[in-house]
Amino acid sequence: EAEVAQSPRYKITEKSQAVAFWCDPISGHATLYWYRQILGQGPELLVQFQDESVVDDSQLPKDRFSAERLKGVDSTLKIQPAELGDSAMYLCASSLGTADTDTQYFGPGTRLTVL
Amino acid sequence: GQNIDQPTEMTATEGAIVQINCTYQTSGFNGLFWYQQHAGEAPTFLSYNVLDGLEEKGRFSSFLSRSKGYSYLLLKELQMKDSASYLCAVSASGGYNKLIFGAGTRLAVHP
């Protein structure tokens, strides 16, 4: 069964350092999402791509976060500089398209700890 | 604003039935999803409702009432492996399949 791949699974960094997360969606899925999930809360959308274009980044803290999906396949999310409050699980998801019935499938996530 | 409410925690006994409720107030509605999330793992898709009524899928069923802004997930014949968080998410209008998630309900199944 096809899965969303993410790496690394765990990342520990010091504040003010830069971190990057990678995601490879299910083959053929045009839409890719990055979510942040703080412990005890539901996932919150950071950025959404349709192919290589950003269609929603309204909740992305653009002063420190950036995301790209250059060839419309895999994607990278970067934080620079990291802050203590960025400690969370970063989840990547993909779906066939942007129809409301298109199920989003999640990867295993990257757990970030900022010291 | 967008608001999705679920109970924070629930406990149930192995073999029993449990109902997890979700109420929502969103700007538009294009469907409601339920996901299961085991501790430290990714959410996995359980069900999708867009029309009023009950959708049954094995031991799990999901109900939706659009007029009441209400859904529930029904889990039958509970097993220990059902201990997990259950996330209610609404696909709100104005976004490209943008999901708004509730905080999740942590279910503990005990023998």
CSV table of all heavy atoms in Angstrom, one decimal, chain A residues 68-92:
chain,number,residue,atom,x,y,z
A,68,GLU,N,8.7,24.5,0.0
A,68,GLU,CA,8.8,24.5,-1.4
A,68,GLU,C,8.5,23.1,-1.9
A,68,GLU,O,8.7,22.1,-1.2
A,68,GLU,CB,10.2,24.9,-1.9
A,68,GLU,CG,11.3,24.1,-1.4
A,68,GLU,CD,12.7,24.7,-1.9
A,68,GLU,OE1,12.7,25.8,-2.3
A,68,GLU,OE2,13.6,23.9,-1.8
A,69,ARG,N,8.0,23.1,-3.2
A,69,ARG,CA,7.7,21.8,-3.8
A,69,ARG,C,8.1,22.1,-5.3
A,69,ARG,O,7.2,22.2,-6.2
A,69,ARG,CB,6.2,21.5,-3.7
A,69,ARG,CG,5.9,20.0,-4.1
A,69,ARG,CD,4.4,19.8,-4.0
A,69,ARG,NE,4.1,18.4,-4.3
A,69,ARG,CZ,2.9,17.9,-4.6
A,69,ARG,NH1,1.9,18.8,-4.7
A,69,ARG,NH2,2.7,16.7,-4.8
A,70,LEU,N,9.4,22.1,-5.5
A,70,LEU,CA,9.9,22.7,-6.8
A,70,LEU,C,9.4,21.9,-8.0
A,70,LEU,O,9.0,22.5,-9.0
A,70,LEU,CB,11.4,22.7,-6.8
A,70,LEU,CG,12.0,23.7,-5.7
A,70,LEU,CD1,13.5,23.5,-5.7
A,70,LEU,CD2,11.6,25.1,-6.0
A,71,LYS,N,9.3,20.6,-8.0
A,71,LYS,CA,8.9,19.8,-9.2
A,71,LYS,C,7.6,19.2,-9.0
A,71,LYS,O,7.2,18.4,-9.8
A,71,LYS,CB,10.0,18.7,-9.4
A,71,LYS,CG,11.4,19.3,-9.8
A,71,LYS,CD,12.3,18.2,-10.1
A,71,LYS,CE,13.7,18.7,-10.4
A,71,LYS,NZ,14.7,17.6,-10.7
A,72,GLY,N,6.8,19.7,-8.0
A,72,GLY,CA,5.5,19.2,-7.8
A,72,GLY,C,5.4,17.8,-7.3
A,72,GLY,O,4.3,17.2,-7.4
A,73,VAL,N,6.5,17.3,-6.7
A,73,VAL,CA,6.4,15.9,-6.2
A,73,VAL,C,6.8,16.0,-4.7
A,73,VAL,O,5.9,16.3,-3.9
A,73,VAL,CB,7.4,15.0,-6.9
A,73,VAL,CG1,7.3,13.6,-6.3
A,73,VAL,CG2,7.1,15.0,-8.4
A,74,ASP,N,8.1,15.9,-4.3
A,74,ASP,CA,8.4,16.0,-2.9
A,74,ASP,C,8.5,17.4,-2.5
A,74,ASP,O,8.6,18.3,-3.3
A,74,ASP,CB,9.7,15.2,-2.6
A,74,ASP,CG,10.9,15.7,-3.4
A,74,ASP,OD1,10.6,16.3,-4.5
A,74,ASP,OD2,12.0,15.4,-3.0
A,75,SER,N,8.6,17.6,-1.2
A,75,SER,CA,8.5,18.9,-0.6
A,75,SER,C,9.4,19.1,0.6
A,75,SER,O,9.7,18.0,1.3
A,75,SER,CB,7.1,19.2,-0.1
A,75,SER,OG,7.0,20.5,0.5
A,76,THR,N,9.9,20.3,0.9
A,76,THR,CA,10.7,20.6,2.0
A,76,THR,C,10.1,21.7,2.8
A,76,THR,O,9.7,22.7,2.2
A,76,THR,CB,12.1,20.9,1.6
A,76,THR,OG1,12.7,19.9,0.9
A,76,THR,CG2,13.0,21.2,2.8
A,77,LEU,N,10.0,21.6,4.1
A,77,LEU,CA,9.6,22.6,5.0
A,77,LEU,C,10.8,23.0,5.9
A,77,LEU,O,11.5,22.2,6.4
A,77,LEU,CB,8.5,22.1,6.0
A,77,LEU,CG,8.0,23.1,7.0
A,77,LEU,CD1,7.2,24.2,6.4
A,77,LEU,CD2,7.1,22.4,8.0
A,78,LYS,N,11.1,24.3,5.9
A,78,LYS,CA,12.3,24.8,6.7
A,78,LYS,C,11.8,25.8,7.8
A,78,LYS,O,10.9,26.6,7.6
A,78,LYS,CB,13.3,25.5,5.7
A,78,LYS,CG,13.8,24.5,4.7
A,78,LYS,CD,14.8,25.3,3.7
A,78,LYS,CE,15.3,24.3,2.7
A,78,LYS,NZ,16.2,25.0,1.7
A,79,ILE,N,12.6,25.7,8.9
A,79,ILE,CA,12.4,26.7,9.9
A,79,ILE,C,13.8,27.3,10.2
A,79,ILE,O,14.7,26.6,10.5
A,79,ILE,CB,11.9,26.1,11.2
A,79,ILE,CG1,10.6,25.2,11.0
A,79,ILE,CG2,11.5,27.2,12.3
A,79,ILE,CD1,10.1,24.5,12.2
A,80,GLN,N,13.8,28.7,10.2
A,80,GLN,CA,15.1,29.4,10.4
A,80,GLN,C,14.8,30.8,10.9
A,80,GLN,O,14.2,31.6,10.1
A,80,GLN,CB,16.0,29.4,9.2
A,80,GLN,CG,17.3,30.0,9.5
A,80,GLN,CD,18.3,29.9,8.3
A,80,GLN,OE1,17.8,29.6,7.2
A,80,GLN,NE2,19.5,30.2,8.5
A,81,PRO,N,15.1,31.1,12.2
A,81,PRO,CA,15.6,30.3,13.2
A,81,PRO,C,14.5,29.6,14.0
A,81,PRO,O,13.4,30.1,14.1
A,81,PRO,CB,16.4,31.3,14.1
A,81,PRO,CG,15.5,32.5,14.0
A,81,PRO,CD,14.9,32.5,12.6
A,82,ALA,N,14.9,28.4,14.5
A,82,ALA,CA,13.9,27.7,15.3
A,82,ALA,C,13.7,28.4,16.7
A,82,ALA,O,14.7,28.9,17.2
A,82,ALA,CB,14.3,26.2,15.5
A,83,GLU,N,12.5,28.3,17.2
A,83,GLU,CA,12.2,28.9,18.5
A,83,GLU,C,11.6,27.8,19.4
A,83,GLU,O,11.2,26.8,18.9
A,83,GLU,CB,11.2,30.0,18.4
A,83,GLU,CG,11.7,31.2,17.7
A,83,GLU,CD,10.7,32.4,17.5
A,83,GLU,OE1,9.6,32.2,18.0
A,83,GLU,OE2,11.1,33.4,17.1
A,84,LEU,N,11.7,28.0,20.7
A,84,LEU,CA,11.2,27.0,21.7
A,84,LEU,C,9.8,26.6,21.4
A,84,LEU,O,9.4,25.4,21.5
A,84,LEU,CB,11.3,27.5,23.1
A,84,LEU,CG,12.7,27.8,23.6
A,84,LEU,CD1,12.6,28.4,25.0
A,84,LEU,CD2,13.6,26.5,23.6
A,85,GLY,N,8.9,27.5,21.0
A,85,GLY,CA,7.5,27.3,20.7
A,85,GLY,C,7.3,26.5,19.4
A,85,GLY,O,6.1,26.1,19.2
A,86,ASP,N,8.3,26.2,18.7
A,86,ASP,CA,8.2,25.4,17.5
A,86,ASP,C,8.2,23.9,17.8
A,86,ASP,O,7.9,23.1,16.9
A,86,ASP,CB,9.3,25.7,16.5
A,86,ASP,CG,9.3,27.1,16.0
A,86,ASP,OD1,8.2,27.7,15.9
A,86,ASP,OD2,10.3,27.7,15.6
A,87,SER,N,8.5,23.5,19.0
A,87,SER,CA,8.5,22.1,19.4
A,87,SER,C,7.1,21.5,19.1
A,87,SER,O,6.1,22.0,19.7
A,87,SER,CB,8.9,21.9,20.8
A,87,SER,OG,10.2,22.3,21.0
A,88,ALA,N,7.0,20.5,18.3
A,88,ALA,CA,5.7,20.0,17.9
A,88,ALA,C,6.0,18.8,16.9
A,88,ALA,O,7.1,18.5,16.6
A,88,ALA,CB,4.9,21.0,17.1
A,89,MET,N,4.9,18.1,16.5
A,89,MET,CA,4.9,17.1,15.4
A,89,MET,C,4.6,17.8,14.1
A,89,MET,O,3.6,18.5,14.1
A,89,MET,CB,3.9,16.0,15.7
A,89,MET,CG,3.8,15.0,14.6
A,89,MET,SD,5.2,13.8,14.7
A,89,MET,CE,4.5,12.6,15.7
A,90,TYR,N,5.4,17.6,13.1
A,90,TYR,CA,5.1,18.2,11.8
A,90,TYR,C,4.7,17.1,10.9
A,90,TYR,O,5.5,16.1,10.6
A,90,TYR,CB,6.4,18.9,11.3
A,90,TYR,CG,6.6,20.2,12.1
A,90,TYR,CD1,7.2,20.2,13.3
A,90,TYR,CD2,6.1,21.4,11.6
A,90,TYR,CE1,7.4,21.3,14.1
A,90,TYR,CE2,6.2,22.6,12.4
A,90,TYR,CZ,6.9,22.5,13.6
A,90,TYR,OH,7.0,23.6,14.4
A,91,LEU,N,3.5,17.2,10.4
A,91,LEU,CA,2.9,16.1,9.6
A,91,LEU,C,2.7,16.5,8.2
A,91,LEU,O,2.3,17.7,7.9
A,91,LEU,CB,1.5,15.8,10.2
A,91,LEU,CG,1.4,15.1,11.5
A,91,LEU,CD1,0.0,15.2,12.1
A,91,LEU,CD2,1.8,13.7,11.5
A,92,CYS,N,3.0,15.6,7.3
A,92,CYS,CA,2.8,15.9,5.9
A,92,CYS,C,1.7,15.0,5.4
A,92,CYS,O,1.5,13.8,5.9
A,92,CYS,CB,4.1,15.5,5.1
A,92,CYS,SG,3.9,15.8,3.3
